Amino acid sequence: MFTIAVIGASGLLGRALVRELGTRAGWRVVPTAHRRVQGEMAALDVRDAAAVASFVDRLRPDAIVIAAAERRPDVCERDPIAARALNVDAVRAIASAARQCGAWVLSISTDYVFDGSAPPYRIDDRPAPLNAYGLSKLDGERALAQSTELGCVLRLPLLYGPVLDWAESAVTSLAPAVVASQAPGASPAPMDAWATRYPTYTPDVAYVIRGMLELHAKGQAVCGIAQWSGDEPMTKFEIASRIARALAIDARLEPQTTSGEGTPRPRDCHLDSSRLEALGIGRRTPFDVAIAEVLSTWPTPAPSLR
Ligand SMILES: NC(=O)c1ccc[n+]([C@@H]2O[C@H](COP(=O)([O-])OP(=O)(O)OC[C@H]3O[C@@H](n4cnc5c(N)ncnc54)[C@H](OP(=O)(O)O)[C@@H]3O)[C@@H](O)[C@H]2O)c1
């Protein structure tokens, strides 16, 4: 049996992973969570290095996928030490434990390791994060590389997919404001039209990771850095317009063409996906198809962990 530990299985990406990998005959998926432990999930606080070592030593998995992280840029900016405990130190602890038992580790990173000034970004382009989140994820990439030779970083851009709460993804979090803007007397909803994003569907990412795991199972593990991205560029204004169309709403949206205040964010971090494409790995569900599926339960998101 090929055993895969999915760390952070209760999150947006982790749930999609468990759903995708769990369908493969001959694979055993062991999900872990921290605050939202449900069903077959093991409880694991990845900040506890001893607990991580003991979990990995008992399970002796063939592969570990790390989807646990602090991924909210504003939270990382406010408390960079707490962010680093998850995004750097925990990656190091998991990768060190994995090395002891020869497991391949896939650690999820972000397009925010780049400054967004010169897209598209290839895997060997120089990272230059603009905020504490991007910096912590970059240091997490380095921690992985220092801890094991059998490791791979997978950088991803803005994610969306089946959510438990519309606020869970920065794509679906626009939906309530889009809907509210159509109310009589409501002000137009301001939407960022400055930064270009490449929204990427979590079931597609899970399919990509399944492809990477298949290669590892054949003894051809992808190591180093890989990137995967959707290929439809859009600003949040454009995303909101498409959400309005999917919900058949006559929304009133106001484009914001400056970068705005607060946590600095990159303008366009389009990730080059050619390394995985050359390996025959990939799937891209058109945005309009995927967002219609995600919003099909509006106004109630999926009621349970899926
Ligand atoms: N979301 C995006 O748009 C986006 C974009 C690019 C890259 N990424 C990257 O993709 C990965 C997955 O992100 P996501 O959106 O799925 O994140 P998420 O929905 O916020 O999920 C975070 C996961 O981390 C777990 N976690 C938090 N603290 C933990 C701890 N102390 N010990 C163990 N587990 C802990 C959570 O478990 P509990 O909830 O059970 O506590 C949850 O399963 C991250 O590496 C993120 O940086 C995300």
Side-chain angles (χ1 to χ4, degrees):
M1 191 63 92
F2 184 74
T3 301
I4 305 155
V6 175
I7 313 287
S10 53
L12 179 67
L13 179 59
R15 297 193 306 273
L17 273 170
V18 172
R19 205 158 50 241
E20 175 67 40
L21 306 181
T23 62
R24 169 69 158 75
W27 286 8
R28 175 185 174 216
V29 177
V30 179
T32 82
H34 180 227
R35 283 158 307 168
R36 294 178 286 172
V37 177
Q38 281 204 355
E40 297 185 339
M41 293 177 189
L44 179 65
D45 183 344
V46 294
R47 296 166 301 184
D48 180 344
V52 165
S54 144
F55 170 79
V56 174
D57 188 50
R58 265 182 286 123
L59 187 63
R60 303 198 77 74
D62 297 282
I64 302 177
V65 182
I66 310 174
E70 177 47 75
R71 51 107 188 146
R72 294 165 297 177
D74 298 339
V75 174
C76 294
E77 210 69 21
R78 279 200 301 275
D79 192 348
I81 293 173
R84 294 182 71 82
L86 269 177
N87 295 351
V88 186
D89 302 336
V91 173
R92 184 178 292 109
I94 295 166
S96 303
R99 182 166 46 81
Q100 299 293 326
C101 68
W104 179 70
V105 188
L106 182 69
S107 183
I108 307 300
S109 189
T110 170
D111 57 346
Y112 273 33
V113 298
F114 296 114
D115 68 10
S117 62
Y121 289 98
R122 299 180 57 85
I123 53 174
D124 47 5
D125 281 335
R126 195 179 65 84
L130 294 182
N131 57 38
Y133 169 62
L135 183 60
S136 70
K137 295 297 283 187
L138 176 60
D139 286 345
E141 294 186 2
R142 291 172 174 154
L144 181 82
Q146 287 159 5
S147 306
T148 178
E149 288 180 354
L150 201 55
C152 186
V153 162
L154 178 63
R155 294 182 182 140
L156 301 171
L158 174 62
L159 299 179
Y160 71 104
V163 288
L164 305 175
D165 184 302
W166 301 116
E168 201 182 10
S169 148
V171 169
T172 53
S173 68
L174 304 178
V178 168
V179 172
S181 75
Q182 69 163 355
S187 309
M191 292 288 163
D192 179 72
W194 176 81
T196 300
R197 301 288 180 239
Y198 290 79
T200 299
Y201 191 41
T202 51
D204 289 347
V205 175
Y207 185 79
V208 163
I209 292 174
R210 176 181 175 146
M212 297 177 81
L213 285 160
E214 298 278 6
L215 282 181
H216 169 45
K218 284 197 284 185
Q220 300 163 15
V222 179
C223 293
I225 297 176
Q227 300 182 155
W228 184 255
S229 173
D231 60 358
E232 297 174 80
M234 47 188 103
T235 65
K236 287 196 174 171
F237 177 78
E238 170 81 16
I239 293 171
S241 306
R242 288 171 181 238
I243 287 174
R245 204 160 63 215
L247 291 173
I249 277 171
D250 194 13
R252 294 174 60 231
L253 308 174
E254 190 172 278
Q256 308 287 299
T257 52
T258 54
S259 68
E261 304 286 307
T263 306
R265 283 163 213 259
R267 184 158 198 176
D268 182 348
C269 286
H270 188 205
L271 295 173
D272 173 283
S273 309
S274 58
R275 183 177 183 198
L276 292 178
E277 286 165 346
L279 292 168
I281 291 175
R283 186 179 78 190
R284 293 183 175 97
T285 305
F287 182 81
D288 288 335
V289 172
I291 199 68
E293 170 66 24
V294 171
L295 295 172
S296 62
T297 58
W298 182 268
T300 313
S304 61
L305 292 179
R306 303 206 290 177

